[in-house]
């Protein structure tokens, strides 16, 4: 039994702390008792992933019977005659999507000498089948988590699948899917924030600090249930570590926004248009923003007096000329 990518446990030694720290639990041909079944059911409902490989010793308790995506039956012996093959893969599923392209992996080359006969329950998805039509891999969503049932073993007792190139990618994709894992960005940009609780530094819940590229030490103490995030204001590498000498270190790269170094040539016409429009708008803005002095206001008003006097003079001349014409 495996509780994570780096921990192996016997069923009787699995603790609640193991389950709290795990994202995925893998059961390879395990006789599950009632107590472990109930704990695994709570684990999956809370968002955990469970992968069950049903070999000859695999059993499941009735208390948690609604957790598995299929009912287990007796093994089917294919050691005599032609061995079984796996086919009818659901290539649209994240587990098998990497095998969609030609020459990316052939599951049909694996030979199965025995497998468990299983009956899928409602609201499940069959992801792969044996050549006889029996489900080989079934998935079910339970609460916030997922359960996958593999109707064979993960060792060489029932098949030679572990010797095939598709074996490790298949297991890796299954664990990634069940853990709901997404690849984090290898770096962030200045101005973004980093959540220490979303990284491996989460294990150091207290006494954490951040070492900035300039050498400053910033405490990262949690306040109640709200995690304190770190704003990246410098270019370089931030280190998130505990105050103990042997604590784990999480390194975060902070880069300048790549848009600032875009060397793509601009269209000269756009540059001229932008400069002309900007200069005109700036000139109008400056002209409208400068207040007129009293002298300037008096000059503008004096000009209007001259124009008014000129208009009256022209009107008088026009009147006199009209009277002269009428008498003539």
């Amino acid at each position: 039994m495996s509780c994570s990518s780096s921990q192996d446990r016997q069923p009787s030694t699995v603790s609640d702390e193991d389950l709290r720290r795990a994202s995925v639990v893998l059961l390879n041909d395990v006789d599950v008792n009632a107590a472990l079944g109930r704990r695994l059911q709570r684990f999956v409902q809370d968002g955990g992933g469970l992968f069950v490989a049903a070999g000859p010793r695999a059993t499941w308790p009735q208390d948690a019977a609604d957790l598995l995506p299929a009912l287990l039956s007796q093994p089917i012996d294919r050691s005599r005659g032609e061995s079984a093959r796996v086919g009818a893969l659901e290539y649209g599923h994240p587990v098998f999507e990497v095998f969609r392209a030609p020459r990316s992996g052939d599951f049909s080359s694996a030979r199965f000498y025995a497998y468990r006969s299983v009956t899928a329950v409602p609201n499940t998805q069959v992801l792969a089948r044996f050549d006889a039509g029996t489900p080989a891999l079934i998935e079910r969503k339970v609460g916030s988590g997922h359960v996958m049932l593999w109707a064979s073993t993960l060792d060489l007792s029932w098949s030679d699948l572990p010797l095939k190139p598709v074996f490790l990618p298949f297991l890796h994709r299954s664990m990634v899917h069940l853990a709901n894992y997404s690849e984090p960005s290898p770096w962030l940009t200045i101005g973004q924030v980093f959540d220490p609780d979303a990284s491996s530094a989460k294990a150091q819940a207290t006494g954490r600090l951040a070492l900035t590229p300039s050498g400053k030490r910033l405490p990262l103490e949690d306040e109640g249930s709200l995690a304190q995030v770190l704003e990246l204001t410098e270019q370089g590498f931030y280190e998130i570590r505990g105050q103990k000498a042997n604590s784990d270190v999480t390194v975060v790269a902070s880069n300048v926004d790549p848009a600032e170094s875009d060397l793509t040539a601009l269209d000269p016409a756009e540059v001229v248009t932008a400069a002309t429009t900007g200069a005109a708008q700036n000139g109008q803005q400056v002209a409208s923003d400068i207040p007129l002095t009293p002298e300037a206001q008096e000059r503008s008003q004096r000009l209007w007096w001259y124009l008014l006097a000129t208009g009256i003079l022209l009107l008088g001349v026009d009147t006199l000329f009209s009277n002269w014409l009428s008498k003539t």
Side-chain angles (χ1 to χ4, degrees), residues 167-177:
F167 178 70
L168 287 180
F170 164 63
L171 274 187
H172 176 262
R173 296 296 302 178
S174 299
M175 299 302 105
V176 168
H177 171 68

Side-chain angles (χ1 to χ4, degrees), residues 11 25 28 60 98 103 124 139 165 179 193-194 199 207 222 288 291 308 328:
V25 173
N28 182 29
W60 197 259
V98 295
R103 297 182 297 277
T124 58
E139 182 185 19
V193 295
F194 173 73
S199 67
D222 294 341
S288 61
L308 180 60
T328 305

Side-chain angles (χ1 to χ4, degrees), residues 266-284:
L266 297 177
D267 186 0
E270 294 181 1
V271 177
V272 173
T273 302
T276 305
T277 305
Q281 292 178 350
N282 291 336
Q284 294 176 359

